[in-house]
Amino acid sequence: MLVMGGTVGAGIFINPYVVAQRVHTPWLVLGAWLAGGIIALTGAFIWAELADRMPQVGGQYAYLRDVYHPLAAFLYGWVLLLVVQTGGMAAVTVTFARYFLELTGIHVGDWQIAVITLLVLTVVNCFGVRAGGTVQSALMVIKIFAIALLVFAGAFLVRGPRVEWHPVLDQPLSGGLLSAFGAAMVPVLFAYGGWQTACFVAGELKQPRRDLPRALVLGVIGVAALYTSVNFICVRVLGVTALAETHTPASAVMRLAMGQKGATLIALGIAVSTLGFLSQSVLTAPRVYFAMAEDGVFFRKLAWVHPKTRVPVVAITLQSIWTVVILLSGRYEQILNYVTAMDYTFFTLTASCLFLLRKRGPAHGFSMPGHPWTTAFFCVACGSVVLNTFYRYPGNTLIGLAILATGVPVYYIWRRTSHA
């Protein structure tokens, strides 16, 4: 539930239209989502071996610290707190608030609902991993039901397919087609992102070496099955052209299948989906800031855990407060553009840890199948995303790099202070 809940947010209900705008045949649209699933599954296998070798609090942070250098790990945590995690949470919280207001008709600002939502989830997760995990599991079950309803309605309640399955390609195989397919992969990879955050709580699991690798692999397979099913239905019901023209494809499918009642039902499903993502984010990411504080490179108070619930209450609270700051600034969408290159840079760097760890010794538990070729494939795929982001959004990428660079002097100041 942590793996799937951290991946399935609002993206699967919205991003299909972006993919259809960039590639124009059913096979290319579905191919992009299948390719995204393969990349995510490859990453899940890599993280599974990393988690088996190092079942520590902080997940990706711990891998970078122990394999490369504490600075690399600090920069990951620095960016995660300032923009990656909190920026994504701010955008998703506002998405939830808008759907909530649409469903209830309450006349208040979306920011007010967003702040209350974050407050409630923060309090729940401060009661402990079991309390947060229970909420997460319940929301994920509802989320799966909403997706299953969408697939069922599109498959059985809409008469006759409206899609032409020929031709396979809309232009000859060329650099232009590959570039378009690469552009389509960006929203796909965004939608698949988040599975790795389950590793943040590795140190709090009873049997992390057994449970975390299994959860990563099965969770990503489950997400890939859900995503492919949803996109098949969107293409079948709407056709690629109509899909590209609607910004709310899930609502469009449900409206055709069940009328306005169907559109309302899926709006409720999307609201629950975003809430589930937020619950998982509040639960997992603060473990990175906790690990940074334990290493003496961040506010020491963040390493404090509640004596009863055994959770890093201060770290959870800090993340939620900063999310509210970004949310109220109204600039979270721009911030998300800044971090694409950094996010996938750290994906590439973390995956490459496996090459060095294999030199130190063979895997003693879970082993990455096909290493080193499969690991190299994942690194190249993530590196391509980084290069593509530099090419398409140079201004935003440079701002993101500037935010990353500010972490270097901060790290050394904290190190000097903590050792003084």
Side-chain angles (χ1 to χ4, degrees):
M1 292 303 174
L2 279 175
V3 172
M4 295 181 74
T7 308
V8 182
I12 183 54
F13 299 106
I14 299 168
N15 288 2
Y17 90 88
V18 184
V19 179
Q21 287 179 341
R22 298 178 180 179
V23 289
H24 311 296
T25 72
W27 290 107
L28 288 174
V29 170
L30 294 177
W33 288 96
L34 286 170
I38 291 169
I39 291 171
L41 183 59
T42 306
F45 273 112
I46 295 170
W47 262 247
E49 181 172 335
L50 292 173
D52 180 70
R53 287 173 176 269
M54 293 181 284
Q56 302 172 37
V57 171
Q60 199 165 334
Y61 171 86
Y63 311 153
L64 291 168
R65 178 195 61 204
D66 295 349
V67 175
Y68 284 114
H69 191 277
L71 175 60
F74 175 83
L75 291 177
Y76 169 70
W78 179 253
V79 171
L80 191 75
L81 174 62
L82 286 184
V83 280
V84 175
Q85 190 71 21
T86 48
M89 287 172 62
V92 172
T93 309
V94 171
T95 302
F96 166 77
R98 289 171 181 170
Y99 276 104
F100 179 85
L101 292 175
E102 182 181 327
L103 288 166
T104 60
I106 299 174
H107 297 291
V108 297
D110 55 16
W111 67 269
Q112 292 170 295
I113 299 297
V115 171
I116 292 171
T117 301
L118 279 170
L119 175 63
V120 171
L121 290 175
T122 300
V123 171
V124 168
N125 281 283
C126 283
F127 281 115
V129 173
R130 183 173 295 277
T134 301
V135 171
Q136 177 61 42
S137 297
L139 290 173
M140 190 61 220
V141 169
I142 297 171
K143 194 185 301 188
I144 291 173
F145 175 78
I147 292 175
L149 177 63
L150 174 64
V151 172
F152 175 84
F156 298 105
L157 301 183
V158 179
R159 291 185 179 178
R162 304 184 178 190
V163 60
E164 291 291 336
W165 291 96
H166 299 286
V168 174
L169 305 178
D170 62 330
Q171 57 179 292
L173 187 60
S174 63
L177 178 61
L178 293 175
S179 177
F181 191 79
M185 288 297 297
V186 174
V188 169
L189 293 175
F190 268 128
Y192 271 107
W195 47 266
Q196 76 285 355
T197 58
C199 295
F200 294 161
V201 297
E204 296 169 77
L205 299 177
K206 290 181 179 178
Q207 294 181 289
R209 284 197 162 94
R210 183 199 69 180
D211 294 339
L212 196 50
R214 186 184 302 173
L216 284 165
V217 173
L218 294 179
V220 172
I221 290 174
V223 169
L226 292 175
Y227 280 13
T228 305
S229 300
V230 167
N231 281 276
F232 174 80
I233 291 301
C234 287
V235 169
R236 175 188 179 274
V237 172
L238 301 174
V240 176
T241 302
L243 176 59
E245 292 173 355
T246 176
H247 289 196
T248 54
S251 297
V253 170
M254 290 298 288
R255 194 172 284 110
L256 284 171
M258 301 173 63
Q260 186 55 40
K261 182 190 293 185
T264 302
L265 277 173
I266 202 63
L268 179 61
I270 293 171
V272 171
S273 183
T274 55
L275 196 63
F277 173 87
L278 286 170
S279 175
Q280 197 268 5
S281 298
V282 172
L283 175 66
T284 56
R287 274 62 183 177
V288 174
Y289 324 135
F290 167 84
M292 292 165 69
E294 282 273 277
D295 291 344
V297 293
F298 216 27
F299 297 110
R300 188 66 191 170
K301 196 68 177 175
L302 296 180
W304 182 80
V305 294
H306 193 279
K308 277 191 174 182
T309 61
R310 307 304 302 167
V311 297
V313 173
V314 180
I316 290 175
T317 304
L318 173 65
Q319 176 179 261
S320 294
I321 291 172
W322 189 248
T323 300
V324 170
V325 171
I326 295 176
L327 186 153
L328 295 178
S329 74
R331 301 177 66 84
Y332 47 84
E333 292 176 357
Q334 185 178 1
I335 289 171
L336 288 178
N337 287 331
Y338 298 162
V339 303
T340 303
M342 290 183 290
D343 207 8
Y344 279 87
T345 295
F346 282 111
F347 265 137
T348 308
L349 193 62
T350 305
S352 68
C353 290
L354 195 55
F355 291 105
L356 298 176
L357 288 171
R358 282 290 185 96
K359 286 185 177 181
R360 297 178 186 176
H364 56 270
F366 187 92
S367 179
M368 172 62 184
H371 179 86
W373 304 108
T374 47
T375 307
F377 162 77
F378 182 80
C379 291
V380 169
C382 291
S384 299
V385 173
V386 174
L387 293 175
N388 184 64
T389 308
F390 267 101
Y391 175 73
R392 288 181 171 270
Y393 312 107
N396 286 343
T397 304
L398 288 174
I399 294 173
L401 287 174
I403 294 171
L404 177 67
T406 60
V408 177
V410 171
Y411 167 78
Y412 285 107
I413 290 170
W414 241 302
R415 291 287 293 179
R416 181 173 296 179
T417 303
S418 64
H419 288 92

